[in-house]
mmCIF file with all atom_site columns, all heavy atoms in Angstrom:
data_model
loop_
_atom_site.group_PDB
_atom_site.id
_atom_site.type_symbol
_atom_site.label_atom_id
_atom_site.label_alt_id
_atom_site.label_comp_id
_atom_site.label_asym_id
_atom_site.label_entity_id
_atom_site.label_seq_id
_atom_site.pdbx_PDB_ins_code
_atom_site.Cartn_x
_atom_site.Cartn_y
_atom_site.Cartn_z
_atom_site.occupancy
_atom_site.B_iso_or_equiv
_atom_site.pdbx_formal_charge
_atom_site.auth_seq_id
_atom_site.auth_comp_id
_atom_site.auth_asym_id
_atom_site.auth_atom_id
_atom_site.pdbx_PDB_model_num
ATOM 1   N N   . ARG A 1 141 ? -3.113  -8.757  -2.847 1.00 94.00 ? 141 ARG A N   1
ATOM 2   C CA  . ARG A 1 141 ? -1.642  -8.716  -2.871 1.00 94.00 ? 141 ARG A CA  1
ATOM 3   C C   . ARG A 1 141 ? -1.022  -9.149  -1.549 1.00 94.00 ? 141 ARG A C   1
ATOM 4   O O   . ARG A 1 141 ? -0.062  -9.919  -1.528 1.00 94.00 ? 141 ARG A O   1
ATOM 5   C CB  . ARG A 1 141 ? -1.153  -7.310  -3.228 1.00 94.00 ? 141 ARG A CB  1
ATOM 6   C CG  . ARG A 1 141 ? 0.359   -7.236  -3.438 1.00 94.00 ? 141 ARG A CG  1
ATOM 7   C CD  . ARG A 1 141 ? 0.772   -5.855  -3.904 1.00 94.00 ? 141 ARG A CD  1
ATOM 8   N NE  . ARG A 1 141 ? 0.500   -4.848  -2.897 1.00 94.00 ? 141 ARG A NE  1
ATOM 9   C CZ  . ARG A 1 141 ? 1.323   -4.583  -1.875 1.00 94.00 ? 141 ARG A CZ  1
ATOM 10  N NH1 . ARG A 1 141 ? 2.444   -5.253  -1.735 1.00 94.00 ? 141 ARG A NH1 1
ATOM 11  N NH2 . ARG A 1 141 ? 1.029   -3.640  -1.011 1.00 94.00 ? 141 ARG A NH2 1
ATOM 12  N N   . ILE A 1 142 ? -1.545  -8.652  -0.413 1.00 94.00 ? 142 ILE A N   1
ATOM 13  C CA  . ILE A 1 142 ? -0.936  -8.965  0.879  1.00 94.00 ? 142 ILE A CA  1
ATOM 14  C C   . ILE A 1 142 ? -1.407  -10.307 1.424  1.00 94.00 ? 142 ILE A C   1
ATOM 15  O O   . ILE A 1 142 ? -0.596  -11.154 1.815  1.00 94.00 ? 142 ILE A O   1
ATOM 16  C CB  . ILE A 1 142 ? -1.222  -7.840  1.896  1.00 94.00 ? 142 ILE A CB  1
ATOM 17  C CG1 . ILE A 1 142 ? -0.583  -6.523  1.424  1.00 94.00 ? 142 ILE A CG1 1
ATOM 18  C CG2 . ILE A 1 142 ? -0.694  -8.212  3.281  1.00 94.00 ? 142 ILE A CG2 1
ATOM 19  C CD1 . ILE A 1 142 ? -0.862  -5.341  2.322  1.00 94.00 ? 142 ILE A CD1 1
ATOM 20  N N   . LEU A 1 143 ? -2.724  -10.527 1.452  1.00 94.00 ? 143 LEU A N   1
ATOM 21  C CA  . LEU A 1 143 ? -3.253  -11.756 2.043  1.00 94.00 ? 143 LEU A CA  1
ATOM 22  C C   . LEU A 1 143 ? -3.408  -12.891 1.040  1.00 94.00 ? 143 LEU A C   1
ATOM 23  O O   . LEU A 1 143 ? -3.703  -14.029 1.423  1.00 94.00 ? 143 LEU A O   1
ATOM 24  C CB  . LEU A 1 143 ? -4.604  -11.465 2.714  1.00 94.00 ? 143 LEU A CB  1
ATOM 25  C CG  . LEU A 1 143 ? -4.535  -10.450 3.861  1.00 94.00 ? 143 LEU A CG  1
ATOM 26  C CD1 . LEU A 1 143 ? -5.918  -10.185 4.412  1.00 94.00 ? 143 LEU A CD1 1
ATOM 27  C CD2 . LEU A 1 143 ? -3.626  -10.965 4.972  1.00 94.00 ? 143 LEU A CD2 1
ATOM 28  N N   . ARG A 1 144 ? -3.251  -12.581 -0.256 1.00 93.00 ? 144 ARG A N   1
ATOM 29  C CA  . ARG A 1 144 ? -3.324  -13.600 -1.311 1.00 93.00 ? 144 ARG A CA  1
ATOM 30  C C   . ARG A 1 144 ? -4.651  -14.371 -1.296 1.00 93.00 ? 144 ARG A C   1
ATOM 31  O O   . ARG A 1 144 ? -4.682  -15.592 -1.440 1.00 93.00 ? 144 ARG A O   1
ATOM 32  C CB  . ARG A 1 144 ? -2.144  -14.571 -1.199 1.00 93.00 ? 144 ARG A CB  1
ATOM 33  C CG  . ARG A 1 144 ? -0.796  -13.886 -1.331 1.00 93.00 ? 144 ARG A CG  1
ATOM 34  C CD  . ARG A 1 144 ? 0.343   -14.866 -1.350 1.00 93.00 ? 144 ARG A CD  1
ATOM 35  N NE  . ARG A 1 144 ? 1.634   -14.186 -1.430 1.00 93.00 ? 144 ARG A NE  1
ATOM 36  C CZ  . ARG A 1 144 ? 2.167   -13.706 -2.543 1.00 93.00 ? 144 ARG A CZ  1
ATOM 37  N NH1 . ARG A 1 144 ? 1.511   -13.830 -3.678 1.00 93.00 ? 144 ARG A NH1 1
ATOM 38  N NH2 . ARG A 1 144 ? 3.343   -13.097 -2.529 1.00 93.00 ? 144 ARG A NH2 1
ATOM 39  N N   . LEU A 1 145 ? -5.738  -13.645 -1.123 1.00 94.00 ? 145 LEU A N   1
ATOM 40  C CA  . LEU A 1 145 ? -7.068  -14.234 -1.180 1.00 94.00 ? 145 LEU A CA  1
ATOM 41  C C   . LEU A 1 145 ? -7.716  -13.896 -2.521 1.00 94.00 ? 145 LEU A C   1
ATOM 42  O O   . LEU A 1 145 ? -7.252  -13.009 -3.241 1.00 94.00 ? 145 LEU A O   1
ATOM 43  C CB  . LEU A 1 145 ? -7.944  -13.699 -0.038 1.00 94.00 ? 145 LEU A CB  1
ATOM 44  C CG  . LEU A 1 145 ? -7.474  -13.975 1.394  1.00 94.00 ? 145 LEU A CG  1
ATOM 45  C CD1 . LEU A 1 145 ? -8.374  -13.243 2.375  1.00 94.00 ? 145 LEU A CD1 1
ATOM 46  C CD2 . LEU A 1 145 ? -7.461  -15.467 1.679  1.00 94.00 ? 145 LEU A CD2 1
ATOM 47  N N   . SER A 1 146 ? -8.793  -14.586 -2.824 1.00 93.00 ? 146 SER A N   1
ATOM 48  C CA  . SER A 1 146 ? -9.551  -14.272 -4.028 1.00 93.00 ? 146 SER A CA  1
ATOM 49  C C   . SER A 1 146 ? -10.203 -12.900 -3.866 1.00 93.00 ? 146 SER A C   1
ATOM 50  O O   . SER A 1 146 ? -10.627 -12.535 -2.763 1.00 93.00 ? 146 SER A O   1
ATOM 51  C CB  . SER A 1 146 ? -10.617 -15.346 -4.255 1.00 93.00 ? 146 SER A CB  1
ATOM 52  O OG  . SER A 1 146 ? -11.569 -14.899 -5.197 1.00 93.00 ? 146 SER A OG  1
ATOM 53  N N   . PRO A 1 147 ? -10.308 -12.113 -4.929 1.00 93.00 ? 147 PRO A N   1
ATOM 54  C CA  . PRO A 1 147 ? -10.953 -10.792 -4.820 1.00 93.00 ? 147 PRO A CA  1
ATOM 55  C C   . PRO A 1 147 ? -12.382 -10.874 -4.298 1.00 93.00 ? 147 PRO A C   1
ATOM 56  O O   . PRO A 1 147 ? -12.880 -9.917  -3.712 1.00 93.00 ? 147 PRO A O   1
ATOM 57  C CB  . PRO A 1 147 ? -10.917 -10.272 -6.266 1.00 93.00 ? 147 PRO A CB  1
ATOM 58  C CG  . PRO A 1 147 ? -9.823  -11.026 -6.927 1.00 93.00 ? 147 PRO A CG  1
ATOM 59  C CD  . PRO A 1 147 ? -9.795  -12.379 -6.289 1.00 93.00 ? 147 PRO A CD  1
ATOM 60  N N   . SER A 1 148 ? -13.033 -12.027 -4.512 1.00 93.00 ? 148 SER A N   1
ATOM 61  C CA  . SER A 1 148 ? -14.426 -12.184 -4.063 1.00 93.00 ? 148 SER A CA  1
ATOM 62  C C   . SER A 1 148 ? -14.528 -12.791 -2.675 1.00 93.00 ? 148 SER A C   1
ATOM 63  O O   . SER A 1 148 ? -15.626 -13.011 -2.169 1.00 93.00 ? 148 SER A O   1
ATOM 64  C CB  . SER A 1 148 ? -15.195 -13.065 -5.056 1.00 93.00 ? 148 SER A CB  1
ATOM 65  O OG  . SER A 1 148 ? -14.595 -14.345 -5.162 1.00 93.00 ? 148 SER A OG  1
ATOM 66  N N   . ALA A 1 149 ? -13.377 -13.053 -2.013 1.00 93.00 ? 149 ALA A N   1
ATOM 67  C CA  . ALA A 1 149 ? -13.406 -13.694 -0.696 1.00 93.00 ? 149 ALA A CA  1
ATOM 68  C C   . ALA A 1 149 ? -14.020 -12.783 0.359  1.00 93.00 ? 149 ALA A C   1
ATOM 69  O O   . ALA A 1 149 ? -14.637 -13.251 1.316  1.00 93.00 ? 149 ALA A O   1
ATOM 70  C CB  . ALA A 1 149 ? -11.996 -14.106 -0.280 1.00 93.00 ? 149 ALA A CB  1
ATOM 71  N N   . VAL A 1 150 ? -13.830 -11.475 0.188  1.00 96.00 ? 150 VAL A N   1
ATOM 72  C CA  . VAL A 1 150 ? -14.339 -10.504 1.163  1.00 96.00 ? 150 VAL A CA  1
ATOM 73  C C   . VAL A 1 150 ? -15.164 -9.458  0.427  1.00 96.00 ? 150 VAL A C   1
ATOM 74  O O   . VAL A 1 150 ? -14.711 -8.889  -0.560 1.00 96.00 ? 150 VAL A O   1
ATOM 75  C CB  . VAL A 1 150 ? -13.181 -9.820  1.922  1.00 96.00 ? 150 VAL A CB  1
ATOM 76  C CG1 . VAL A 1 150 ? -13.730 -8.793  2.913  1.00 96.00 ? 150 VAL A CG1 1
ATOM 77  C CG2 . VAL A 1 150 ? -12.325 -10.846 2.635  1.00 96.00 ? 150 VAL A CG2 1
ATOM 78  N N   . HIS A 1 151 ? -16.384 -9.216  0.927  1.00 97.00 ? 151 HIS A N   1
ATOM 79  C CA  . HIS A 1 151 ? -17.208 -8.145  0.361  1.00 97.00 ? 151 HIS A CA  1
ATOM 80  C C   . HIS A 1 151 ? -16.864 -6.847  1.084  1.00 97.00 ? 151 HIS A C   1
ATOM 81  O O   . HIS A 1 151 ? -16.896 -6.778  2.323  1.00 97.00 ? 151 HIS A O   1
ATOM 82  C CB  . HIS A 1 151 ? -18.694 -8.461  0.525  1.00 97.00 ? 151 HIS A CB  1
ATOM 83  C CG  . HIS A 1 151 ? -19.575 -7.381  -0.027 1.00 97.00 ? 151 HIS A CG  1
ATOM 84  N ND1 . HIS A 1 151 ? -19.744 -7.162  -1.380 1.00 97.00 ? 151 HIS A ND1 1
ATOM 85  C CD2 . HIS A 1 151 ? -20.314 -6.421  0.606  1.00 97.00 ? 151 HIS A CD2 1
ATOM 86  C CE1 . HIS A 1 151 ? -20.550 -6.136  -1.562 1.00 97.00 ? 151 HIS A CE1 1
ATOM 87  N NE2 . HIS A 1 151 ? -20.905 -5.672  -0.365 1.00 97.00 ? 151 HIS A NE2 1
ATOM 88  N N   . ILE A 1 152 ? -16.527 -5.819  0.317  1.00 97.00 ? 152 ILE A N   1
ATOM 89  C CA  . ILE A 1 152 ? -16.076 -4.533  0.877  1.00 97.00 ? 152 ILE A CA  1
ATOM 90  C C   . ILE A 1 152 ? -17.065 -3.445  0.506  1.00 97.00 ? 152 ILE A C   1
ATOM 91  O O   . ILE A 1 152 ? -17.275 -3.173  -0.678 1.00 97.00 ? 152 ILE A O   1
ATOM 92  C CB  . ILE A 1 152 ? -14.680 -4.176  0.344  1.00 97.00 ? 152 ILE A CB  1
ATOM 93  C CG1 . ILE A 1 152 ? -13.700 -5.325  0.588  1.00 97.00 ? 152 ILE A CG1 1
ATOM 94  C CG2 . ILE A 1 152 ? -14.177 -2.888  0.970  1.00 97.00 ? 152 ILE A CG2 1
ATOM 95  C CD1 . ILE A 1 152 ? -12.515 -5.307  -0.338 1.00 97.00 ? 152 ILE A CD1 1
ATOM 96  N N   . ASP A 1 153 ? -17.652 -2.832  1.506  1.00 97.00 ? 153 ASP A N   1
ATOM 97  C CA  . ASP A 1 153 ? -18.571 -1.718  1.273  1.00 97.00 ? 153 ASP A CA  1
ATOM 98  C C   . ASP A 1 153 ? -17.992 -0.477  1.951  1.00 97.00 ? 153 ASP A C   1
ATOM 99  O O   . ASP A 1 153 ? -17.597 -0.534  3.124  1.00 97.00 ? 153 ASP A O   1
ATOM 100 C CB  . ASP A 1 153 ? -19.956 -2.040  1.839  1.00 97.00 ? 153 ASP A CB  1
ATOM 101 C CG  . ASP A 1 153 ? -20.945 -0.921  1.573  1.00 97.00 ? 153 ASP A CG  1
ATOM 102 O OD1 . ASP A 1 153 ? -21.274 -0.691  0.397  1.00 97.00 ? 153 ASP A OD1 1
ATOM 103 O OD2 . ASP A 1 153 ? -21.387 -0.269  2.546  1.00 97.00 ? 153 ASP A OD2 1
ATOM 104 N N   . VAL A 1 154 ? -17.916 0.631   1.221  1.00 96.00 ? 154 VAL A N   1
ATOM 105 C CA  . VAL A 1 154 ? -17.352 1.868   1.768  1.00 96.00 ? 154 VAL A CA  1
ATOM 106 C C   . VAL A 1 154 ? -18.373 2.990   1.606  1.00 96.00 ? 154 VAL A C   1
ATOM 107 O O   . VAL A 1 154 ? -18.866 3.244   0.502  1.00 96.00 ? 154 VAL A O   1
ATOM 108 C CB  . VAL A 1 154 ? -16.038 2.259   1.058  1.00 96.00 ? 154 VAL A CB  1
ATOM 109 C CG1 . VAL A 1 154 ? -15.435 3.499   1.716  1.00 96.00 ? 154 VAL A CG1 1
ATOM 110 C CG2 . VAL A 1 154 ? -15.049 1.098   1.087  1.00 96.00 ? 154 VAL A CG2 1
ATOM 111 N N   . ASP A 1 155 ? -18.689 3.650   2.699  1.00 95.00 ? 155 ASP A N   1
ATOM 112 C CA  . ASP A 1 155 ? -19.646 4.756   2.680  1.00 95.00 ? 155 ASP A CA  1
ATOM 113 C C   . ASP A 1 155 ? -19.099 5.899   3.527  1.00 95.00 ? 155 ASP A C   1
ATOM 114 O O   . ASP A 1 155 ? -18.942 5.767   4.743  1.00 95.00 ? 155 ASP A O   1
ATOM 115 C CB  . ASP A 1 155 ? -21.004 4.291   3.236  1.00 95.00 ? 155 ASP A CB  1
ATOM 116 C CG  . ASP A 1 155 ? -22.040 5.403   3.210  1.00 95.00 ? 155 ASP A CG  1
ATOM 117 O OD1 . ASP A 1 155 ? -21.945 6.295   2.347  1.00 95.00 ? 155 ASP A OD1 1
ATOM 118 O OD2 . ASP A 1 155 ? -22.941 5.393   4.071  1.00 95.00 ? 155 ASP A OD2 1
ATOM 119 N N   . GLU A 1 156 ? -18.747 6.996   2.885  1.00 92.00 ? 156 GLU A N   1
ATOM 120 C CA  . GLU A 1 156 ? -18.194 8.170   3.578  1.00 92.00 ? 156 GLU A CA  1
ATOM 121 C C   . GLU A 1 156 ? -16.963 7.801   4.407  1.00 92.00 ? 156 GLU A C   1
ATOM 122 O O   . GLU A 1 156 ? -16.764 8.307   5.510  1.00 92.00 ? 156 GLU A O   1
ATOM 123 C CB  . GLU A 1 156 ? -19.251 8.807   4.489  1.00 92.00 ? 156 GLU A CB  1
ATOM 124 C CG  . GLU A 1 156 ? -20.457 9.357   3.756  1.00 92.00 ? 156 GLU A CG  1
ATOM 125 C CD  . GLU A 1 156 ? -20.109 10.578  2.897  1.00 92.00 ? 156 GLU A CD  1
ATOM 126 O OE1 . GLU A 1 156 ? -19.227 11.347  3.312  1.00 92.00 ? 156 GLU A OE1 1
ATOM 127 O OE2 . GLU A 1 156 ? -20.702 10.737  1.821  1.00 92.00 ? 156 GLU A OE2 1
ATOM 128 N N   . GLY A 1 157 ? -16.142 6.908   3.867  1.00 93.00 ? 157 GLY A N   1
ATOM 129 C CA  . GLY A 1 157 ? -14.915 6.513   4.547  1.00 93.00 ? 157 GLY A CA  1
ATOM 130 C C   . GLY A 1 157 ? -15.097 5.409   5.574  1.00 93.00 ? 157 GLY A C   1
ATOM 131 O O   . GLY A 1 157 ? -14.107 4.898   6.110  1.00 93.00 ? 157 GLY A O   1
#
Side-chain angles (χ1 to χ4, degrees):
R141 187 175 64 83
I142 297 177
L143 298 177
R144 300 186 182 280
L145 299 174
S146 165
S148 59
V150 179
H151 179 73
I152 307 157
D153 182 67
V154 184
D155 181 28
E156 297 292 326

